[in-house]
Structures are given as C-alpha cells and as structure tokens.
C-alpha cells in the first residue's frame, strides 16, 4: 500500500512541477516552488496547492 501512495505522490509532484514551470510566475518564484516540492514532496505539494501561482486562495 505504501508503494502505491508513494507513486501517487510522485505523479502529483511531477504534475505540480509541470504546472509551476508553465505558470506566469517570475523565474525566481518558479525555482523556489520547484525546490519546495522537490525537497518536501508531500508538504510542498500541499503548500503549493494552497498558496502557489493560480491557487484559489490567492484570488
């Protein structure tokens, strides 16, 4: 079960990184968001979803 959860988190992190790179944020912001998602995969993904470029909370 933990392998499936790890795979799901990996796929979501890859999708988040793709969305970050395609966003209209500045290069510095993109680098910081990608580093956050890579260093803290689950927590970084949650923080990006809540506060990242294009998030519903920021609107």
């Amino acid at each position: 079960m933990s392998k499936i959860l790890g795979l799901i988190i990996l796929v979501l992190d890859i999708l988040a990184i793709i969305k970050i790179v395609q966003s209209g944020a500045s290069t510095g912001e993109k680098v910081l968001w990608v580093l956050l998602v890579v260093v803290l995969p689950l927590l970084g993904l949650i923080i990006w979803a809540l506060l990242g470029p294009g998030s519903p909370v920021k609107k």
Side-chain angles (χ1 to χ4, degrees):
M1 184 67 171
S2 64
K3 290 182 181 181
I4 294 171
L5 185 59
L7 184 61
I8 291 170
I9 292 172
L10 176 65
V11 169
L12 290 174
D13 283 345
I14 291 170
L15 291 174
I17 291 170
I18 291 170
K19 295 284 278 185
I20 291 167
V21 170
Q22 292 175 344
S23 74
S26 70
T27 303
E29 289 176 340
K30 289 180 185 182
V31 170
L32 290 175
W33 279 116
V34 169
L35 283 175
L36 182 68
V37 171
V38 169
V39 172
L40 303 170
L42 183 57
L43 185 60
L45 182 65
I46 293 168
I47 294 171
W48 171 77
L50 294 174
L51 302 174
S55 72
V57 174
K58 290 183 78 174
K59 291 183 180 182

